[in-house]
Amino acid sequence: MHERWDDQLPFYVTGALPPATHAAVAQHLRECVACAAQVAEWQQLAAWHQSHVAGRMGALPPLSPLVRASLHRPPTLRELLASTLQLVWAQRNVLRPLLPGIVGVLLVGLAASLGLMNAERVALPLVALVPIVAALPIAFLHSRELEPAFEIVSATPSAPGALLLARLTFVLTLVSSVTLPGSFAVSAAQGSSFGPLVAAWLGPLLLLSALATVLALRWRSGVAVGVVLAGWLGVIGLLWLELNGYPLLALPLHALLQPHAWLFLSQLLAAGLLWWLAWRELPHLSTERVY
Amino acid sequence: MTEQFWPMAYAERDPDIVLVKAMAAGEATAIESLYQRHGPALFAYLVGQLGDRQWAEDVLQEVMLAAWRSAARFRGESTVRTWLLAIARYRALNARQRRPPPPDALPPDLPTDDPKPHQKLEHDAQRDEIARALQQLPAAQRETLELIFFHGLSGPEAAQVQKVAIGTIKSRLHRAKAALRHLLSKEEEDA
């Protein structure tokens, strides 16, 4: 019975409860000795803590002349660059628990591509793994459910758009920094062209990342993860069947493995369109949803 | 465009919101007023986070400049106090990442050696005991206690500043209380 009130008591002591809840707790305290004793403990703790912190209070330093001088000065290019890089770099804290998994899956994809004897299918492991490995963290990053990992980024007084771009930049840079040199190694070892190999995973990577962002912002992270994962597994499954002589669609999905310029450009355009939709969504979002 | 984020009834009630709106409009006097209203609490928070008064003074200036530059983006979804504490927290974390605490810095959350009114009171010994016990708590629990009992934040506001779920705030409070009870009774036994 006390559990219902237990969590409210510290906030009752500080007066931070909504008036109706405060009144309900006060009413309960008239009848409940155990909760009244809890309140006395919280009051003691509050008094201790107030005097402890008050010990740090000194004379407030004046607002610095440097701050006053900076008020009407726009940030310099260096300051802007530094804060942008700092924001991008701060994303590693959010992704830290996922980093070994991301890099591990990318290395598995590269190793599989290196091991394939079939030159036509050399891009298959990268096409299957790289886009989803980028899109899933992006979907997760737009969630508050990863709260403990938001230790640093969360309190950034940044525009939601800047935060989104920082997250995208960090994930894409991370994925590309592993996959680009890996693709170079694969193309050198297999004798295949480097450009088409990169285009094979880069186009779907951008498209799927943009889709994950829109879904996570419009609905929620779980929806984005589910749709992106199911959708991409479906595409890869159909591609696998097609490559093994069981085409279920009229569309030639094997074009994904060696994309022509038009296919790559259309993937870029679709990704751009989705990003534009995500950008339009931002003003309607609560900051809570983005942070 | 910005107007949609400012619920008028709220703005009329809350002088802080009026000040942040004025800052967003470029009125330098507004930041002075906001500084007078929230500077002392932010300063105390930063001294607790950084353990060094001079360092906290420097970071406090950064906090105010960041608040000035972000004022136009403040949506009124939290109180100004919560927003400023969140900025202070972020700046303190950044400051600690940029450089380690100075060698003569106090451990975060310990009172300084400066003579303080509380040190002149009768219960100095008990206060020192409490300060020692508080110091033994995990930093996150100490910070939660401070946000709730000194800055007067509600549970959801403290969760917003520390960026944890509200359940985490509640469990930190209960754990901190239990740990303090244990630590203080142990000190009594030792004495």
Side-chain angles (χ1 to χ4, degrees):
Chain A
M1 167 162 180
H2 302 296
E3 284 163 14
R4 181 184 159 199
W5 305 101
D6 214 25
D7 289 337
Q8 311 283 5
L9 299 181
F11 304 105
Y12 172 80
V13 165
T14 61
L17 290 176
T21 316
H22 188 92
V25 174
Q27 175 65 33
H28 172 72
L29 289 174
R30 284 187 206 109
E31 300 153 4
C32 179
V33 180
C35 285
Q38 288 284 321
V39 164
E41 282 192 17
W42 285 117
Q43 280 170 335
Q44 193 181 30
L45 180 57
W48 287 345
H49 207 275
Q50 278 164 9
S51 74
H52 173 68
V53 180
R56 299 188 212 129
M57 305 271 285
L60 183 66
L63 203 55
S64 159
L66 283 175
V67 172
R68 289 173 209 271
S70 302
L71 292 183
H72 293 291
R73 175 181 65 77
T76 61
L77 187 61
R78 192 180 164 186
E79 285 169 340
L80 278 176
L81 198 61
S83 75
T84 305
L85 287 175
Q86 200 176 41
L87 190 60
V88 172
W89 183 236
Q91 307 306 310
R92 79 195 187 284
N93 292 289
V94 188
L95 270 177
R96 188 169 282 153
L98 305 175
L99 285 180
I102 293 173
V103 175
V105 172
L106 291 176
L107 291 176
V108 166
L110 288 166
S113 285
L114 273 170
L116 274 179
M117 293 296 121
N118 186 334
E120 284 181 7
R121 296 187 184 185
V122 75
L124 182 59
L126 295 179
V127 171
L129 293 176
V130 176
I132 203 71
V133 160
L136 290 182
I138 285 173
F140 274 119
L141 283 174
H142 300 316
S143 163
R144 292 189 82 233
E145 291 148 22
L146 271 182
E147 283 308 343
F150 277 75
E151 195 66 9
I152 290 185
V153 182
S154 53
T156 313
S158 308
L163 208 54
L164 285 189
L165 277 178
R167 287 169 182 174
L168 182 78
T169 307
F170 185 83
V171 172
L172 295 190
T173 306
L174 172 75
V175 170
S176 302
S177 66
V178 175
T179 319
L180 267 179
S183 298
F184 185 75
V186 169
S187 62
Q190 299 278 22
S192 55
S193 304
F194 177 65
L197 181 61
V198 170
W201 56 261
L202 187 59
L205 163 78
L206 295 173
L207 186 55
L208 222 54
S209 304
L211 181 64
T213 305
V214 173
L215 293 173
L217 291 180
R218 185 70 184 83
W219 286 281
R220 50 182 297 156
S221 185
V223 173
V225 170
V227 170
V228 163
L229 193 59
W232 197 240
L233 282 178
V235 169
I236 296 302
L238 289 169
L239 173 61
W240 179 258
L241 287 171
E242 184 185 311
L243 291 174
N244 287 285
Y246 304 102
L248 296 185
L249 292 181
L251 285 170
L253 287 175
H254 67 269
L256 286 170
L257 299 180
Q258 288 170 318
H260 289 290
W262 62 265
L263 178 57
F264 183 62
L265 281 176
S266 55
Q267 286 170 331
L268 289 189
L269 276 175
L273 181 67
L274 287 167
W275 271 101
W276 177 72
L277 286 175
W279 196 262
R280 276 173 57 94
E281 194 74 18
L282 286 176
H284 309 295
L285 284 177
S286 143
T287 346
E288 296 271 308
R289 287 276 300 282
V290 184
Y291 291 162
Chain B
M1 179 69 184
T2 313
E3 283 301 313
Q4 63 181 311
F5 299 126
W6 299 90
M8 281 315 290
Y10 190 27
E12 282 162 16
R13 274 205 311 272
D14 189 340
D16 284 342
I17 300 261
V18 174
L19 287 173
V20 176
K21 274 184 92 168
M23 281 163 57
E27 287 179 29
T29 51
I31 193 174
E32 299 275 0
S33 305
L34 198 76
Y35 186 62
Q36 290 307 320
R37 288 172 68 84
H38 294 283
L42 290 174
F43 186 50
Y45 174 79
L46 288 170
V47 173
Q49 291 293 304
L50 300 170
D52 179 76
R53 300 184 82 80
Q54 184 56 51
W55 199 9
E57 279 188 21
D58 295 344
V59 175
L60 178 59
Q61 306 298 328
E62 286 180 26
V63 171
M64 294 314 294
L65 192 56
W68 170 267
R69 287 183 175 160
S70 317
R73 294 198 297 264
F74 181 75
R75 297 180 174 205
E77 290 171 353
S78 67
T79 63
V80 171
R81 179 182 50 177
T82 309
W83 176 64
L84 287 172
L85 280 167
I87 297 175
R89 183 168 195 268
Y90 173 68
R91 292 283 157 177
L93 286 167
N94 260 352
R96 284 210 302 256
Q97 281 192 339
R98 279 203 305 268
R99 67 175 169 99
D104 56 343
L106 295 161
D109 253 351
L110 270 187
T112 66
D113 291 334
D114 300 342
K116 295 290 171 307
H118 78 279
Q119 287 175 319
K120 298 186 179 71
L121 297 176
E122 294 175 345
H123 304 300
D124 277 4
Q126 194 199 7
R127 280 176 207 281
D128 289 349
E129 244 175 60
I130 292 161
R132 274 196 301 275
L134 282 169
Q135 185 55 32
Q136 288 180 57
L137 294 179
Q141 285 181 19
R142 278 203 311 272
E143 190 185 10
T144 303
L145 286 178
E146 175 170 341
L147 292 173
I148 304 291
F149 293 121
F150 185 77
H151 297 283
L153 299 196
S154 66
E157 285 173 333
Q160 212 172 8
V161 171
Q162 287 195 294
K163 288 297 159 190
V164 291
I166 177 72
T168 308
I169 294 292
K170 289 172 180 171
S171 68
R172 279 181 186 170
L173 280 174
H174 288 290
R175 279 187 203 151
K177 183 158 76 100
L180 276 177
R181 193 190 291 144
H182 174 72
L183 288 167
L184 290 171
S185 64
K186 205 173 143 199
E187 288 226 9
E188 267 176 32
E189 279 170 22
D190 293 346

